[in-house]
Amino acid sequence: MIDDSQRHAVGDTPLYSWLSVYLKGIAMGMADSIPGVSGGTIAFITGIYERLITAITNLDPNALALLGGLGSSSGRRRLYERLVEMDVPFLVVLGTGIVTAVVAMSRVVYGALQQAPGATFAFFFGLIAASAIVLYDQLSLSTPGRIVAAVAGFALAFLVSGVTAGADGIHTLPIVFVSGAIAIVAMILPGVSGAFFLVLLGQYEYLTGTLTAFVDGAIAVLLGDRSIASLLDPATTVVTFVGGAVIGVVTVAHAIRWALNHYRAATLSFLVSLMVGALRLPVIEMRANVETFSLASVSPLALAVLAGGGAVLVLDHYTDDLSY
């Protein structure tokens, strides 16, 4: 249930409070766009994690039945009150901030992947490796079950990353849909990045490129430079991904909460070991984008690794008192 202090009517909430929620969404979206950094961690830091999880798990599909009463003032009031009770306005404002940042950051990251793929994947390596080190420090592989979970996570990611690295990948709509459902993990579980899963699945560069093309195409359509038909392909992919994320919110979120409630240590051991096994992918990509190994070619990669790792360690330093 939503705490009374959190159940605000939209009209009674000051504008600056919604602006604060929007800005926190932007911070989460920036984190969600980068492999190795978790939007869930940002939600923890900004003090909205519990409210976010509560709002997500309180979403009730039965509320859709109230749409039939939109023709009357009493029906609209009942729908409004139900949406406020589920804290949907909070999710909408926060989600708008997240989308704003994802759209902006995806353009930056996609450009970096096109212009400097080796250094970009080196940066990802630093982010993911440091995140795994930080999270492993909070784990204890003291039981056979946890060890098995850790080995399984490492092996799965190592094998999958070997297949997806350097390959064009399969970008069918069902794969995109499933990727969206899995990527939403970043919003649910602090410490684990949804963008990381997209990298592991070989969908990250494709989806950031598709989103960039969609935004550019939408702007061109508004300016009258292109027809709306040109948006069909990227829009279909974006809508499919978002649909997967929505389904993931009401399925993956509950599944993760169940796993954490019943097998917390083993679940975290599996997820963190996924990150370690997936380091194979950026290593392959770095090697593929370095023609000859020399001090001049390796130095930028080393600096990128240190930059990525340093960013995570600085974040961990200022959030060391948070319990995930």
Side-chain angles (χ1 to χ4, degrees):
M1 295 297 293
I2 298 174
D3 186 86
D4 288 340
S5 65
Q6 296 174 338
R7 188 184 287 114
H8 305 295
V10 176
D12 295 335
T13 303
L15 180 60
Y16 69 81
S17 295
W18 289 124
L19 177 61
S20 174
V21 172
Y22 175 75
L23 293 175
K24 291 175 181 179
I26 287 181
M28 288 182 64
M30 293 178 66
D32 286 334
S33 303
I34 304 173
V37 182
S38 170
T41 298
I42 303 301
F44 241 122
I45 296 170
T46 56
I48 60 172
Y49 184 75
E50 185 176 351
R51 183 178 181 182
L52 172 61
I53 294 300
T54 301
I56 289 174
T57 53
N58 278 345
L59 289 175
D60 182 10
N62 293 325
L64 294 175
L66 297 175
L67 292 174
L70 287 177
S72 65
S73 59
S74 61
R76 290 191 293 272
R77 184 172 61 255
R78 284 195 297 272
L79 177 61
Y80 170 82
E81 291 173 348
R82 187 70 183 103
L83 293 177
V84 171
E85 183 181 5
M86 293 187 294
D87 217 10
V88 169
F90 165 77
L91 292 177
V92 170
V93 175
L94 185 71
T96 302
I98 291 172
V99 170
T100 301
V102 168
V103 169
M105 285 298 297
S106 63
R107 177 180 299 276
V108 173
V109 176
Y110 181 70
L113 284 169
Q114 299 304 304
Q115 298 299 321
T120 304
F121 274 104
F123 182 71
F124 290 170
F125 180 94
L127 287 170
I128 297 170
S131 297
I133 291 171
V134 167
L135 291 173
Y136 261 132
D137 188 53
Q138 303 179 37
L139 300 179
S140 174
L141 301 179
S142 57
T143 67
R146 298 176 190 178
I147 294 174
V148 169
V151 171
F154 176 86
L156 177 62
F158 189 84
L159 293 173
V160 172
S161 59
V163 173
T164 57
D168 291 335
I170 301 174
H171 308 301
T172 61
L173 293 182
I175 296 295
V176 170
F177 182 88
V178 172
S179 298
I182 294 175
I184 203 67
V185 168
M187 194 181 298
I188 309 304
L189 186 63
V192 179
S193 166
F196 154 74
F197 283 108
L198 295 182
V199 171
L200 176 61
L201 295 171
Q203 304 298 316
Y204 184 77
E205 185 172 356
Y206 168 73
L207 288 173
T208 53
T210 300
L211 180 58
T212 298
F214 171 72
V215 173
D216 288 345
I219 293 174
V221 168
L222 291 175
L223 295 176
D225 297 332
R226 292 171 58 178
S227 68
I228 195 169
S230 63
L231 285 179
L232 182 59
D233 286 342
T236 300
T237 299
V238 171
V239 170
T240 300
F241 180 84
V242 171
V246 171
I247 297 300
V249 164
V250 296
T251 55
V252 176
H254 288 279
I256 289 176
R257 291 197 70 180
W258 180 89
L260 288 174
N261 287 336
H262 293 82
Y263 306 101
R264 180 179 181 80
T267 301
L268 292 178
S269 297
F270 176 82
L271 291 172
V272 177
S273 296
L274 274 177
M275 301 174 73
V276 178
L279 289 174
R280 179 184 182 186
L281 188 147
V283 169
I284 293 175
E285 296 290 353
M286 283 188 285
R287 292 181 61 183
N289 286 280
V290 176
E291 295 182 1
T292 57
F293 286 92
S294 63
L295 181 61
S297 63
V298 173
S299 294
L301 302 184
L303 290 175
V305 170
L306 292 174
V312 172
L313 295 178
V314 168
L315 179 62
D316 176 65
H317 174 74
Y318 287 103
T319 59
D320 191 49
D321 57 336
L322 295 180
S323 175
Y324 297 157

